């Protein structure tokens, strides 16, 4: 609970090693921001099944309900699916099906692709170049015929670990370049410098910060 009397609570209980139950509640002054989420997950030898309900009301059937299943076909290839049903009001119901695939040919690289409903496709690639350097790229394609909307974005990023600092950089096809440098001054204490340049909009941002961990 904070000074504004907003309350957050979490619970995690394991019935067995395979079956887990989780609950999360958030009570805010603004009722529209209050939330209750319950979740159950079962992990088998080569699969995971999960069901989740968010702000579910058994009286009128409103809320968000999700069911997902992830299956390892081989040691390198996994596939999954998620079914989403949401009803913000009793007279409105929406459903969508998302699919995902993950391929890891070796420990230093991963391919992943995911659909979100029938309108969005995301493909990503991650590579560990060396013990200190990692790089990745992501392609997102959006197609909404009802809104006559077709968009695509591509971004690439990298992370490099120095002896006492971490450097991150990312660029996308919209002309935006972001960099961040985190310098570890002491255990649990670091200094952060960040910057962002948007070439298409002609906007620049610069920031300084400190990170303290206890």
């Amino acid at each position: 609970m904070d000074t504004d009397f907003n309350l957050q609570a979490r619970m995690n209980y394991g019935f067995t090693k395979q079956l887990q139950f989780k609950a999360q509640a958030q009570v805010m002054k603004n009722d529209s921001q209050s939330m209750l989420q319950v979740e159950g997950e079962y992990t088998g030898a080569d699969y995971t099944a999960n069901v989740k309900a968010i702000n579910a009301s058994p009286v009128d059937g409103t809320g968000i309900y999700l069911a997902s299943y992830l299956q390892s076909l081989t040691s390198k290839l996994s596939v999954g699916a998620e079914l989403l049903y949401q009803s913000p009001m009793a007279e409105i119901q929406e459903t969508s099906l998302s699919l995902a695939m993950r391929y890891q040919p070796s420990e230093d690289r991963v391919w992943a692709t995911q659909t979100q409903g029938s309108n969005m496709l995301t493909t990503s690639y991650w590579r560990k170049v060396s013990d200190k350097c990692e790089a990745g790229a992501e392609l997102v394609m959006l197609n909404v015929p009802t809104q006559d909307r077709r968009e695509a974005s591509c971004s690439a990023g990298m992370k490099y670990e120095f002896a006492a600092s971490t450097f991150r950089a990312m660029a996308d096809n919209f002309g935006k370049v972001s960099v961040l440098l985190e310098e570890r001054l002491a255990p649990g204490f670091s200094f952060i410098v960040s910057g962002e340049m948007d070439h298409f909009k002609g906007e620049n941002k610069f920031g300084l910060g400190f990170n303290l961990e206890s």
Side-chain angles (χ1 to χ4, degrees):
M1 180 180 292
D2 60 20
T3 55
D4 293 327
F5 298 100
N6 297 316
L7 176 65
Q8 293 187 8
R10 299 188 182 200
M11 185 185 74
N12 190 343
Y13 183 78
F15 293 98
T16 65
K17 291 183 178 180
Q18 293 80 22
L19 183 60
Q20 300 285 328
F21 173 79
K22 302 176 184 179
Q24 179 178 347
Q26 179 175 288
V27 181
M28 311 290 286
K29 277 188 174 181
N30 186 351
D31 290 339
S32 63
Q33 297 179 353
S34 298
M35 181 267 293
L36 174 63
Q37 174 180 307
V38 293
E39 178 180 355
E41 183 173 281
Y42 185 85
T43 304
D46 59 354
Y47 68 92
T48 300
N50 180 284
V51 292
K52 184 184 300 183
I54 303 173
N55 289 342
S57 174
V59 178
D60 54 10
T62 58
I64 301 175
Y65 306 86
L66 301 100
S68 61
Y69 181 81
L70 179 64
Q71 175 72 56
S72 296
L73 301 180
T74 67
S75 59
K76 300 179 180 180
L77 179 63
S78 302
V79 296
E82 180 182 74
L83 178 63
L84 167 67
Y85 171 83
Q86 57 181 346
S87 177
M89 293 182 288
E91 61 274 11
I92 300 177
Q93 296 90 28
E94 298 177 358
T95 59
S96 65
L97 177 66
S98 300
L99 305 174
M101 181 180 67
R102 183 176 185 269
Y103 179 65
Q104 186 174 5
S106 59
E107 294 184 357
D108 62 351
R109 66 191 68 188
V110 178
W111 293 88
T113 184
Q114 178 185 1
T115 65
Q116 296 183 16
S118 59
N119 300 323
M120 182 177 291
L121 173 66
T122 303
T123 302
S124 60
Y125 174 72
W126 172 85
R127 173 74 186 272
K128 187 172 184 180
V129 182
S130 66
D131 292 338
K132 297 182 178 181
C133 183
E134 300 176 12
E138 183 181 69
L139 174 65
V140 180
M141 292 178 287
L142 180 66
N143 182 26
V144 186
T146 57
Q147 302 178 7
D148 194 23
R149 183 182 176 189
R150 293 175 178 83
E151 298 177 1
S153 64
C154 180
S155 58
M158 59 85 65
K159 182 178 78 169
Y160 192 90
E161 293 280 354
F162 295 94
S165 61
T166 303
F167 177 78
R168 296 179 175 89
M170 187 180 74
D172 61 23
N173 62 313
F174 296 110
K176 184 180 293 185
V177 180
S178 305
V179 295
L180 184 143
L181 177 64
E182 181 178 0
E183 180 76 20
R184 292 180 290 275
L185 304 178
F189 181 68
S190 58
F191 174 64
I192 301 172
V193 181
S194 64
E196 181 181 282
M197 298 178 61
D198 193 325
H199 293 83
F200 289 179
K201 294 183 179 180
E203 298 177 354
N204 301 319
K205 297 179 182 179
F206 180 77
L208 300 173
F210 292 94
N211 185 27
L212 179 63
E213 298 180 1
S214 59

